[in-house]
Amino acid sequence: MIQRILAPFATGLLFLAPVLLTIILLNWLSGYLIAALGPGTPLGQALGAAGMFFTPSPFAAFWAGLGLAGLVVWLIGLAVQTRFRPQLEGGLDGLISRIPGLGTLYRPLAQFVRLMGNAPGGEMTGMSVVSVSFGPNVEILSLLTSPRVHDFGQGPRYLILIPTAPVPVGGGLLFVDVADVKPVPTMGVDDLAKLYVTMGTLTGAEALQ
């Protein structure tokens, strides 16, 4: 039941990730050193102003605004899970791209996030989720870039991509011994992206068996 409620929120978060990443990158470039959602930031003040419709307390208004923003993300996730996803993505891309200076930042971030999210026609649809062993006690979920085997003189190797959390816009490409790579057929690229974005809260036991 909890996973059924959280799944649309994670989908909405993935859909809005390019916008959020663009805002975070602009904050970093402009010298912001405090949390992007803190009450003292412009975004936090906007959330507080929205929350004032529900309570006169500034502290409670911020949390009410944050809850309202979470509800909006959840509703967007429900809409994205329908057949209207292409129209929503096209409308959002067109809107953000028209803003001077944002288009050059937004477009590559949107492309990468949607590749990670396994959008229809994405270039990562050929990748598969695998579990990679690093020693006897550590396993990492990652992406097998292709079934091609590489050999540089030290035995067969697979090329894997290990994303970062909570925003999978970076990571590492590693050549790993074929024997240390196990497929995870119950998990898709979209599931792995949600796993990283939600910091593991959507991990299902059935996906890791």
Side-chain angles (χ1 to χ4, degrees):
M1 180 63 182
I2 295 178
Q3 280 193 336
R4 189 172 298 176
I5 295 174
L6 287 178
F9 181 82
T11 303
L13 198 59
L14 280 172
F15 178 77
L16 294 175
V19 179
L20 298 177
L21 289 173
T22 302
I23 294 174
I24 292 172
L25 185 56
L26 286 175
N27 282 344
W28 177 75
L29 292 174
S30 61
Y32 282 108
L33 299 177
I34 55 178
L37 293 177
T41 64
L43 184 56
Q45 292 172 2
L47 291 174
M52 285 293 185
F53 288 100
F54 305 98
T55 174
S57 169
F59 179 79
F62 170 75
W63 289 105
L66 193 62
L68 180 63
L71 177 61
V72 170
V73 171
W74 187 80
L75 291 174
I76 290 174
L78 282 179
V80 172
Q81 287 180 335
T82 68
R83 59 188 176 90
F84 298 107
R85 176 172 184 160
Q87 292 90 332
L88 291 171
E89 287 184 346
L92 182 64
D93 291 349
L95 177 64
I96 301 297
S97 297
R98 291 190 186 97
I99 302 175
L102 287 184
T104 54
L105 291 174
Y106 172 81
R107 280 191 293 270
L109 292 173
Q111 182 181 17
F112 188 91
V113 169
R114 286 165 189 166
L115 287 176
M116 281 299 303
N118 203 23
E123 297 174 14
M124 286 194 177
T125 54
M127 293 188 178
S128 58
V129 180
V130 294
S131 174
V132 182
S133 300
F134 290 95
N137 301 316
V138 179
E139 291 190 35
I140 298 178
L141 287 174
S142 58
L143 289 170
L144 179 65
T145 60
S146 76
R148 178 185 175 185
V149 176
H150 306 265
D151 194 336
F152 303 106
Q154 296 181 336
R157 298 285 189 270
Y158 280 138
L159 178 61
I160 64 165
L161 169 65
I162 301 179
T164 55
V167 183
V169 295
L173 286 168
L174 304 177
F175 289 97
V176 181
D177 193 318
V178 170
D180 294 329
V181 179
K182 297 186 299 182
V184 185
T186 57
M187 196 176 227
V189 176
D190 185 55
D191 298 321
L192 183 66
K194 290 179 181 178
L195 171 69
Y196 276 89
V197 169
T198 61
M199 300 293 286
T201 57
L202 287 184
T203 304
E206 69 282 355
L208 300 178
Q209 289 177 352

